[in-house]
Amino acid sequence: MPLRRSNSTSSIFATSSILNPGAEVLHYVVSAMLCCQMLREKGVSDSKLEPRKPRIRVDFFNESYFTGSTEKADFPSLEGMLKFLQRIFKVGQFNPETCIVTLIYVNRLLGLSGMSLTPENWKPVTVGCLIVAQKVWDDVPLTICDFSILYPQLKPAHFNLLENKILTILQYKLNVSLWLYAFYYFNLRLICDQNTLFADHALTMQQMRVLLRGEDYKRPKRQSTTLIDLVMDRSRAILS
């Protein structure tokens, strides 16, 4: 039986529960949420609406900032995003719950910086937030050098820069309350249930657009950004 890096908090919960969610489905729905976010931003840029302007300098989150590439990044497919996340989590042996915390940090980072998630920056943003999340969540976090194997386009110095920038923007406020984690978890499950993400077939583009519209979802009364807000709203509040 393969060894799995431990998490001291998950031992008090049953398998496949809130702090030990199913990895495959979780990676799929998180990939779908990131893809939805980029589709929404693309819709804004293609329309007459004025694109969102970041409050601070954010060009260092673009992959081209590190690679020096001048080619414009293509819009990623959901399948491509899923394969990227699955490979990183499988090779890195991260706990599945770290994926949820990563999504929370991504949302928090976008809210605080005013940055849009784009084909150019989604990988550095996601991996950078994963670096921070696994240091907070996992008992034995990977080193920066290990991430060069998981994401070879970037060097260790690049990961250090990403981590420092993210920590600065987040103002080192890395706490994720049990309420917030549970809210993300159950909303992810709700989206899975309502969009048949537990099935073997892939999510279609039409289903992605339904997720973006989100007519069937109800807003929570709490005034903070949630997973549902990520799909529904054009404005982003700061995660509490």
Side-chain angles (χ1 to χ4, degrees):
M1 186 175 180
L3 294 176
R4 184 172 181 270
R5 297 192 296 129
S6 63
N7 181 330
S8 60
T9 62
S10 62
S11 59
I12 63 175
F13 292 89
T15 302
S16 298
S17 64
I18 186 170
L19 285 186
N20 192 16
E24 292 185 5
V25 173
L26 186 59
H27 297 160
Y28 195 99
V29 71
V30 168
S31 299
M33 290 300 96
L34 294 174
C35 192
C36 279
Q37 177 73 0
M38 282 193 288
L39 281 171
R40 186 183 68 178
E41 299 292 355
K42 183 177 184 297
V44 171
S45 63
D46 291 345
S47 68
K48 296 181 180 180
L49 296 175
E50 184 178 352
R52 183 180 303 277
K53 295 181 180 179
R55 303 183 185 94
I56 58 176
R57 178 189 169 193
V58 293
D59 61 308
F60 43 73
F61 284 110
N62 293 337
E63 188 175 87
S64 59
Y65 180 85
F66 303 106
T67 63
S69 174
T70 57
E71 296 182 5
K72 186 177 180 179
D74 295 329
F75 197 94
S77 65
L78 177 58
E79 181 182 0
M81 297 179 69
L82 175 61
K83 287 182 177 179
F84 179 78
L85 282 183
Q86 282 182 329
R87 178 182 175 275
I88 285 183
F89 273 82
K90 182 177 180 180
V91 176
Q93 295 185 341
F94 300 108
N95 292 292
E97 55 268 27
T98 305
C99 193
I100 295 179
V101 178
T102 299
L103 181 61
I104 293 173
Y105 286 166
V106 168
N107 201 7
R108 190 176 290 178
L109 179 69
L110 298 180
L112 283 164
S113 65
M115 175 173 55
S116 297
L117 199 63
T118 67
E120 289 80 15
N121 66 19
W122 79 268
K123 285 184 178 180
V125 166
T126 304
V127 174
C129 289
L130 173 59
I131 291 174
V132 176
Q134 58 105 30
K135 286 187 176 181
V136 175
W137 197 261
D138 285 349
D139 289 339
V140 187
L142 297 183
T143 65
I144 292 296
C145 293
D146 294 324
F147 277 91
S148 296
I149 300 174
L150 303 178
Y151 186 16
Q153 287 81 359
L154 272 62
K155 300 178 181 179
H158 300 158
F159 291 114
N160 280 323
L161 175 63
L162 278 176
E163 182 183 8
N164 290 334
K165 293 296 184 181
I166 289 173
L167 289 173
T168 300
I169 294 173
L170 297 183
Q171 301 174 1
Y172 291 85
K173 295 179 181 179
L174 306 178
N175 178 60
V176 175
S177 66
L178 180 59
W179 184 93
L180 183 61
Y181 177 91
F183 199 83
Y184 266 73
Y185 172 81
F186 287 114
N187 276 302
L188 286 169
R189 290 297 300 264
L190 175 65
I191 291 172
C192 286
D193 292 339
Q194 294 188 352
N195 294 278
T196 64
L197 291 184
F198 286 117
D200 292 333
H201 58 78
L203 192 67
T204 65
M205 185 58 68
Q206 180 61 32
Q207 288 173 308
M208 293 285 288
R209 298 190 186 283
V210 171
L211 274 177
L212 281 170
R213 291 196 299 268
E215 292 98 342
D216 296 330
Y217 297 125
K218 295 181 180 179
R219 297 172 184 268
K221 295 181 180 179
R222 183 181 172 88
Q223 296 299 314
S224 62
T225 301
T226 67
L227 183 62
I228 301 302
D229 297 324
L230 180 63
V231 179
M232 293 177 61
D233 293 341
R234 289 197 179 278
S235 62
R236 283 192 294 263
I238 298 172
L239 279 170
S240 58

